[in-house]
mmCIF file of all heavy atoms in Angstrom:
data_model
loop_
_atom_site.group_PDB
_atom_site.id
_atom_site.type_symbol
_atom_site.label_atom_id
_atom_site.label_comp_id
_atom_site.label_asym_id
_atom_site.label_seq_id
_atom_site.Cartn_x
_atom_site.Cartn_y
_atom_site.Cartn_z
ATOM 1 N N LYS A 234 304.535 298.541 87.965
ATOM 2 C CA LYS A 234 304.357 297.909 89.098
ATOM 3 C C LYS A 234 305.611 297.376 89.689
ATOM 4 O O LYS A 234 305.917 297.631 90.916
ATOM 5 C CB LYS A 234 303.357 296.661 88.919
ATOM 6 C CG LYS A 234 302.160 296.842 88.156
ATOM 7 C CD LYS A 234 301.102 297.842 88.935
ATOM 8 C CE LYS A 234 300.178 298.434 87.835
ATOM 9 N NZ LYS A 234 299.274 299.302 88.492
ATOM 10 N N THR A 235 306.457 296.762 88.823
ATOM 11 C CA THR A 235 307.692 296.121 89.403
ATOM 12 C C THR A 235 308.587 297.136 89.802
ATOM 13 O O THR A 235 309.311 296.936 90.875
ATOM 14 C CB THR A 235 308.304 295.359 88.160
ATOM 15 O OG1 THR A 235 307.365 294.322 87.773
ATOM 16 C CG2 THR A 235 309.527 294.716 88.699
ATOM 17 N N PHE A 236 308.651 298.419 89.207
ATOM 18 C CA PHE A 236 309.650 299.337 89.576
ATOM 19 C C PHE A 236 309.024 300.673 90.068
ATOM 20 O O PHE A 236 309.670 301.736 90.049
ATOM 21 C CB PHE A 236 310.593 299.681 88.481
ATOM 22 C CG PHE A 236 311.448 298.365 88.120
ATOM 23 C CD1 PHE A 236 311.196 297.798 86.967
ATOM 24 C CD2 PHE A 236 312.295 297.816 89.091
ATOM 25 C CE1 PHE A 236 311.959 296.651 86.534
ATOM 26 C CE2 PHE A 236 313.095 296.759 88.630
ATOM 27 C CZ PHE A 236 312.886 296.215 87.346
ATOM 28 N N SER A 237 307.776 300.634 90.615
ATOM 29 C CA SER A 237 307.035 301.689 91.216
ATOM 30 C C SER A 237 307.201 302.919 90.376
ATOM 31 O O SER A 237 307.564 303.969 90.840
ATOM 32 C CB SER A 237 307.597 301.958 92.526
ATOM 33 O OG SER A 237 307.245 300.962 93.354
ATOM 34 N N ALA A 238 306.953 302.775 89.018
ATOM 35 C CA ALA A 238 307.011 304.027 88.168
ATOM 36 C C ALA A 238 305.643 303.979 87.305
ATOM 37 O O ALA A 238 305.726 303.855 86.147
ATOM 38 C CB ALA A 238 308.132 303.916 87.300
ATOM 39 N N THR A 239 304.489 304.147 87.909
ATOM 40 C CA THR A 239 303.315 303.980 87.165
ATOM 41 C C THR A 239 303.058 305.129 86.251
ATOM 42 O O THR A 239 302.335 304.877 85.144
ATOM 43 C CB THR A 239 301.994 303.804 88.136
ATOM 44 O OG1 THR A 239 301.930 305.116 88.861
ATOM 45 C CG2 THR A 239 302.182 302.608 89.010
ATOM 46 N N GLY A 240 303.747 306.201 86.412
ATOM 47 C CA GLY A 240 303.551 307.330 85.548
ATOM 48 C C GLY A 240 304.471 307.166 84.200
ATOM 49 O O GLY A 240 304.343 307.994 83.263
ATOM 50 N N TRP A 241 305.429 306.317 84.170
ATOM 51 C CA TRP A 241 306.312 306.157 82.964
ATOM 52 C C TRP A 241 305.636 305.464 81.765
ATOM 53 O O TRP A 241 306.016 305.616 80.765
ATOM 54 C CB TRP A 241 307.540 305.337 83.433
ATOM 55 C CG TRP A 241 308.591 306.247 84.195
ATOM 56 C CD1 TRP A 241 308.343 307.394 84.855
ATOM 57 C CD2 TRP A 241 309.939 305.953 84.429
ATOM 58 N NE1 TRP A 241 309.409 307.800 85.478
ATOM 59 C CE2 TRP A 241 310.492 306.946 85.273
ATOM 60 C CE3 TRP A 241 310.778 304.920 83.973
ATOM 61 C CZ2 TRP A 241 311.836 306.968 85.544
ATOM 62 C CZ3 TRP A 241 312.084 304.890 84.354
ATOM 63 C CH2 TRP A 241 312.603 305.958 85.194
ATOM 64 N N LYS A 242 304.675 304.596 82.151
ATOM 65 C CA LYS A 242 303.895 303.892 81.187
ATOM 66 C C LYS A 242 304.814 303.046 80.196
ATOM 67 O O LYS A 242 304.768 303.202 78.883
ATOM 68 C CB LYS A 242 303.080 304.810 80.356
ATOM 69 C CG LYS A 242 302.019 305.542 81.210
ATOM 70 C CD LYS A 242 301.073 304.655 81.932
ATOM 71 C CE LYS A 242 300.113 303.926 80.939
ATOM 72 N NZ LYS A 242 299.147 303.103 81.809
ATOM 73 N N ILE A 243 305.818 302.269 80.682
ATOM 74 C CA ILE A 243 306.666 301.332 79.865
ATOM 75 C C ILE A 243 306.206 299.904 80.327
ATOM 76 O O ILE A 243 306.381 299.523 81.312
ATOM 77 C CB ILE A 243 308.116 301.604 80.205
ATOM 78 C CG1 ILE A 243 308.522 302.989 79.765
ATOM 79 C CG2 ILE A 243 308.923 300.525 79.391
ATOM 80 C CD1 ILE A 243 308.534 303.272 78.210
ATOM 81 N N GLY A 244 305.510 299.325 79.411
ATOM 82 C CA GLY A 244 305.081 297.873 79.441
ATOM 83 C C GLY A 244 305.664 297.028 78.412
ATOM 84 O O GLY A 244 306.358 297.617 77.552
ATOM 85 N N TRP A 245 305.238 295.745 78.287
ATOM 86 C CA TRP A 245 305.645 294.952 77.186
ATOM 87 C C TRP A 245 304.875 293.793 77.143
ATOM 88 O O TRP A 245 303.979 293.255 78.023
ATOM 89 C CB TRP A 245 307.217 294.578 77.489
ATOM 90 C CG TRP A 245 307.504 293.868 78.812
ATOM 91 C CD1 TRP A 245 307.248 292.692 79.205
ATOM 92 C CD2 TRP A 245 308.014 294.637 79.925
ATOM 93 N NE1 TRP A 245 307.745 292.542 80.537
ATOM 94 C CE2 TRP A 245 308.092 293.704 80.946
ATOM 95 C CE3 TRP A 245 308.321 295.957 80.092
ATOM 96 C CZ2 TRP A 245 308.599 294.027 82.218
ATOM 97 C CZ3 TRP A 245 308.832 296.388 81.429
ATOM 98 C CH2 TRP A 245 308.939 295.435 82.504
ATOM 99 N N ALA A 246 304.884 293.212 75.850
ATOM 100 C CA ALA A 246 304.175 291.965 75.527
ATOM 101 C C ALA A 246 305.249 291.008 74.964
ATOM 102 O O ALA A 246 306.167 291.454 74.171
ATOM 103 C CB ALA A 246 303.229 292.230 74.457
ATOM 104 N N LEU A 247 305.162 289.761 75.329
ATOM 105 C CA LEU A 247 306.086 288.626 74.896
ATOM 106 C C LEU A 247 305.159 287.470 74.355
ATOM 107 O O LEU A 247 304.178 287.227 74.876
ATOM 108 C CB LEU A 247 306.814 287.980 76.119
ATOM 109 C CG LEU A 247 307.629 288.976 77.002
ATOM 110 C CD1 LEU A 247 308.132 288.120 78.231
ATOM 111 C CD2 LEU A 247 308.903 289.480 76.142
ATOM 112 N N GLY A 248 305.680 287.004 73.277
ATOM 113 C CA GLY A 248 304.963 285.894 72.735
ATOM 114 C C GLY A 248 305.713 285.430 71.395
ATOM 115 O O GLY A 248 306.681 285.932 70.885
ATOM 116 N N PRO A 249 305.085 284.232 70.740
ATOM 117 C CA PRO A 249 305.694 283.857 69.466
ATOM 118 C C PRO A 249 305.584 284.964 68.376
ATOM 119 O O PRO A 249 304.752 285.862 68.546
ATOM 120 C CB PRO A 249 304.675 282.808 69.036
ATOM 121 C CG PRO A 249 303.782 282.448 70.221
ATOM 122 C CD PRO A 249 303.859 283.634 71.192
ATOM 123 N N ALA A 250 306.633 284.925 67.553
ATOM 124 C CA ALA A 250 306.890 286.100 66.628
ATOM 125 C C ALA A 250 305.481 286.490 65.853
ATOM 126 O O ALA A 250 305.265 287.690 65.727
ATOM 127 C CB ALA A 250 307.894 285.712 65.715
ATOM 128 N N GLU A 251 304.802 285.537 65.453
ATOM 129 C CA GLU A 251 303.610 285.958 64.590
ATOM 130 C C GLU A 251 302.519 286.570 65.464
ATOM 131 O O GLU A 251 301.871 287.403 64.983
ATOM 132 C CB GLU A 251 303.054 284.759 63.707
ATOM 133 C CG GLU A 251 302.373 283.618 64.544
ATOM 134 C CD GLU A 251 303.321 282.540 65.116
ATOM 135 O OE1 GLU A 251 304.558 282.920 65.241
ATOM 136 O OE2 GLU A 251 302.960 281.532 65.521
ATOM 137 N N LEU A 252 302.541 286.254 66.656
ATOM 138 C CA LEU A 252 301.493 286.992 67.540
ATOM 139 C C LEU A 252 301.909 288.414 67.927
ATOM 140 O O LEU A 252 301.163 289.384 67.943
ATOM 141 C CB LEU A 252 301.331 286.149 68.761
ATOM 142 C CG LEU A 252 300.575 284.701 68.648
ATOM 143 C CD1 LEU A 252 300.439 284.121 70.137
ATOM 144 C CD2 LEU A 252 299.274 284.808 67.968
ATOM 145 N N VAL A 253 303.236 288.438 68.270
ATOM 146 C CA VAL A 253 303.810 289.742 68.624
ATOM 147 C C VAL A 253 303.710 290.735 67.272
ATOM 148 O O VAL A 253 303.468 291.808 67.464
ATOM 149 C CB VAL A 253 305.228 289.610 69.060
ATOM 150 C CG1 VAL A 253 305.927 291.051 69.290
ATOM 151 C CG2 VAL A 253 305.127 288.940 70.480
ATOM 152 N N THR A 254 303.982 290.183 66.086
ATOM 153 C CA THR A 254 303.879 290.961 64.908
ATOM 154 C C THR A 254 302.321 291.529 64.793
ATOM 155 O O THR A 254 302.284 292.764 64.467
ATOM 156 C CB THR A 254 304.156 290.156 63.614
ATOM 157 O OG1 THR A 254 305.504 289.688 63.771
ATOM 158 C CG2 THR A 254 303.996 290.910 62.358
ATOM 159 N N GLU A 255 301.415 290.780 65.151
ATOM 160 C CA GLU A 255 300.004 291.203 65.056
ATOM 161 C C GLU A 255 299.796 292.383 66.013
ATOM 162 O O GLU A 255 299.145 293.487 65.774
ATOM 163 C CB GLU A 255 298.960 290.294 65.330
ATOM 164 C CG GLU A 255 299.060 288.919 64.449
ATOM 165 C CD GLU A 255 298.826 289.256 62.823
ATOM 166 O OE1 GLU A 255 298.392 290.339 62.580
ATOM 167 O OE2 GLU A 255 299.039 288.248 62.191
ATOM 168 N N VAL A 256 300.287 292.202 67.279
ATOM 169 C CA VAL A 256 299.992 293.133 68.314
ATOM 170 C C VAL A 256 300.895 294.558 67.958
ATOM 171 O O VAL A 256 300.186 295.604 68.122
ATOM 172 C CB VAL A 256 300.537 292.797 69.727
ATOM 173 C CG1 VAL A 256 300.417 293.782 70.775
ATOM 174 C CG2 VAL A 256 299.833 291.495 70.136
ATOM 175 N N THR A 257 302.109 294.317 67.341
ATOM 176 C CA THR A 257 302.816 295.571 66.958
ATOM 177 C C THR A 257 302.042 296.249 65.851
ATOM 178 O O THR A 257 302.147 297.448 65.860
ATOM 179 C CB THR A 257 304.185 294.974 66.430
ATOM 180 O OG1 THR A 257 304.857 294.085 67.426
ATOM 181 C CG2 THR A 257 305.041 296.063 66.077
ATOM 182 N N ALA A 258 301.570 295.539 64.878
ATOM 183 C CA ALA A 258 300.784 296.252 63.799
ATOM 184 C C ALA A 258 299.789 297.215 64.271
ATOM 185 O O ALA A 258 299.502 298.283 63.770
ATOM 186 C CB ALA A 258 300.120 295.151 62.997
ATOM 187 N N VAL A 259 299.021 296.697 65.463
ATOM 188 C CA VAL A 259 298.057 297.722 65.983
ATOM 189 C C VAL A 259 298.725 298.755 66.875
ATOM 190 O O VAL A 259 298.380 299.929 66.813
ATOM 191 C CB VAL A 259 297.017 296.870 66.896
ATOM 192 C CG1 VAL A 259 296.093 297.769 67.624
ATOM 193 C CG2 VAL A 259 296.267 295.842 66.041
ATOM 194 N N LYS A 260 299.642 298.407 67.626
ATOM 195 C CA LYS A 260 300.327 299.375 68.486
ATOM 196 C C LYS A 260 300.886 300.539 67.671
ATOM 197 O O LYS A 260 300.857 301.619 68.268
ATOM 198 C CB LYS A 260 301.330 298.703 69.213
ATOM 199 C CG LYS A 260 302.240 299.539 70.271
ATOM 200 C CD LYS A 260 303.763 299.770 69.911
ATOM 201 C CE LYS A 260 304.286 301.012 70.477
ATOM 202 N NZ LYS A 260 304.088 301.415 71.924
#
Side-chain angles (χ1 to χ4, degrees):
K234 312 294 160 185
T235 300
F236 298 111
S237 294
T239 61
W241 284 17
K242 300 300 295 184
I243 299 293
W245 50 86
L247 304 173
E251 67 275 18
L252 298 181
V253 169
T254 297
E255 304 297 352
V256 180
T257 307
V259 175
K260 182 244 161 39

